[in-house]
Amino acid sequence: MVLSVVLNPAVDKIHFIDDFEVGTMRRSAKTVVSPGGKGVNVAKVASALGSGTHAVGFAAGHYGEWLEGSLREWGVGTTFIKVPGEVRTNVNVIDRARGTETEVIESGPEISGSDRLALLAEVERLLSGSDRARTVLICTGGYPLGIPDDFYATLIGLANGLGVRSILDTSGEALRRGVAARPFMVKPNMRELSHMVGYTPGTLRDVAESARSLLGAGPKVVAASMGKDGVLVVSDRYGFAALPPELEAVNTIGSGDAMVAGFAVALGRGYCMRKAIRLATACAASNCMHEEIGLVDRPEVERLSRDVGVDSLQ
């Protein structure tokens, strides 16, 4: 099972507007509305790959009910704690003429201490009742108001105590605290990796050295995502670099979430790391080929995975 923690879900609205300019009025050529937030995207992709998937987190208001119903239509089990307020709306403007993406992200509702404790209890219940050797806990995305910096660290510690592997994908202090809690895998992008190591890696060798430096902080595996340049994966036993197949990207938002889902499904199925990297990279590539965020096509993923090149690092 993939258990995805959804602390701050969203309604994602994507407007496709060519020649978008700040300070002017433009009509959207097309608008795509979907349930969103990084944990939601991971759950959608994992379910699309045929994995048993459950989303646990907070939801508020009318949009929260709609989002939970949408996830169930995707085949995702849900355990949402109802909180006051309304689920946030994120607006993305994609200008295909200029090749730009502009995002406006709302904060979402504030979470109380009692609701935090309720969520911890639900995560413990779900993990305890799962096939722990085949379950992967996903801690991804930023925190809503009211969530302390060490919340993911607490969840990772809970998973470790139950013998469940976890994947961490966040930023800032939440990333630093979470890494120290010893997740199985951490998946920073280049900005997050640079923040952690204190400099910007230039070459592939620099990225590898930076990723390996994080291993001493806690995680067993570091998967550094590099956008169109693929992903670099290191542990104390191996190092791999993967390059995605060439494609015409439609929307790159959510590709990192799709990659996390691919890794989670692969771990739950007991894949070797080479096969896991191919699946994760193919998921990110498939997401790029669709207008909706966090959407992959399973036959397309299988086809793309055969074209992913994976090389051992020297």
Side-chain angles (χ1 to χ4, degrees):
M1 177 180 71
V2 174
L3 180 60
S4 186
V5 177
V6 182
L7 300 182
N8 204 8
V11 176
D12 281 337
K13 284 190 175 182
I14 308 173
H15 297 289
F16 293 89
I17 304 175
D18 291 340
D19 295 321
F20 173 74
E21 291 185 15
V22 174
T24 64
M25 186 185 75
R26 290 288 190 271
R27 293 189 183 276
S28 177
K30 185 174 185 179
T31 300
V32 177
V33 180
S34 61
K38 293 178 73 65
V40 167
N41 296 337
V42 170
K44 287 165 57 181
V45 173
S47 181
L49 295 178
S51 172
T53 309
H54 201 96
V56 57
F58 304 112
H62 170 74
Y63 283 151
E65 294 179 1
W66 171 81
L67 187 143
E68 189 170 4
S70 297
L71 280 176
R72 288 174 177 166
E73 290 179 2
W74 274 85
V76 177
T78 59
T79 301
F80 281 103
I81 295 165
K82 304 301 186 295
V83 299
E86 184 62 80
V87 161
R88 63 195 175 124
T89 298
N90 294 337
V91 176
N92 300 275
V93 177
I94 296 179
D95 186 339
R96 291 175 175 168
R98 301 184 181 186
T100 61
E101 296 174 354
T102 303
E103 295 183 74
V104 179
I105 299 175
E106 293 182 354
S107 296
E110 185 169 358
I111 307 302
S112 69
S114 60
D115 287 331
R116 293 198 307 269
L117 292 176
L119 180 62
L120 288 172
E122 288 298 333
V123 172
E124 183 174 20
R125 178 183 66 82
L126 290 163
L127 291 180
S128 297
S130 70
D131 181 351
R132 301 179 196 180
R134 301 184 64 182
T135 296
V136 181
L137 176 70
I138 308 298
C139 297
T140 183
Y143 291 154
L145 297 173
I147 296 293
D149 287 337
D150 64 351
F151 195 73
Y152 282 149
T154 300
L155 291 173
I156 292 165
L158 177 61
N160 288 344
L162 293 170
V164 173
R165 290 169 294 182
S166 59
I167 299 178
L168 175 67
D169 180 19
T170 187
S171 60
E173 191 61 21
L175 174 59
R176 194 174 300 278
R177 298 281 189 97
V179 163
R182 306 183 70 82
F184 178 81
M185 174 183 284
V186 60
K187 193 211 72 63
N189 59 27
M190 289 298 94
R191 176 180 53 81
E192 293 155 356
L193 181 62
S194 299
H195 177 76
M196 287 292 290
V197 301
Y199 67 95
T200 302
T203 66
L204 188 63
R205 183 182 295 275
D206 291 338
V207 176
E209 290 178 355
S210 299
R212 287 193 171 105
S213 72
L214 293 188
L215 293 173
K220 292 184 178 180
V221 179
V222 176
S225 58
M226 302 180 291
K228 63 180 176 57
D229 295 321
V231 62
L232 185 146
V233 181
V234 298
S235 75
D236 60 0
R237 296 184 295 107
Y238 52 71
F240 299 107
L243 190 65
E246 292 187 8
L247 52 84
E248 190 69 31
V250 174
N251 178 13
T252 62
I253 301 170
S255 293
D257 306 329
M259 177 173 284
V260 168
F263 275 122
V265 170
L267 290 175
R269 292 174 178 171
Y271 289 0
C272 70
M273 188 50 68
R274 278 184 179 272
K275 189 174 181 180
I277 293 170
R278 286 193 175 94
L279 177 62
T281 304
C283 285
S286 180
N287 177 85
C288 289
M289 299 171 71
H290 300 275
E291 293 177 338
E292 183 175 335
I293 299 172
L295 176 64
V296 302
D297 177 76
R298 189 173 181 181
E300 183 177 74
V301 168
E302 293 172 354
R303 176 180 59 80
L304 288 169
S305 66
R306 294 191 290 269
D307 296 327
V308 174
V310 181
D311 296 319
S312 296
L313 297 176
Q314 299 300 317

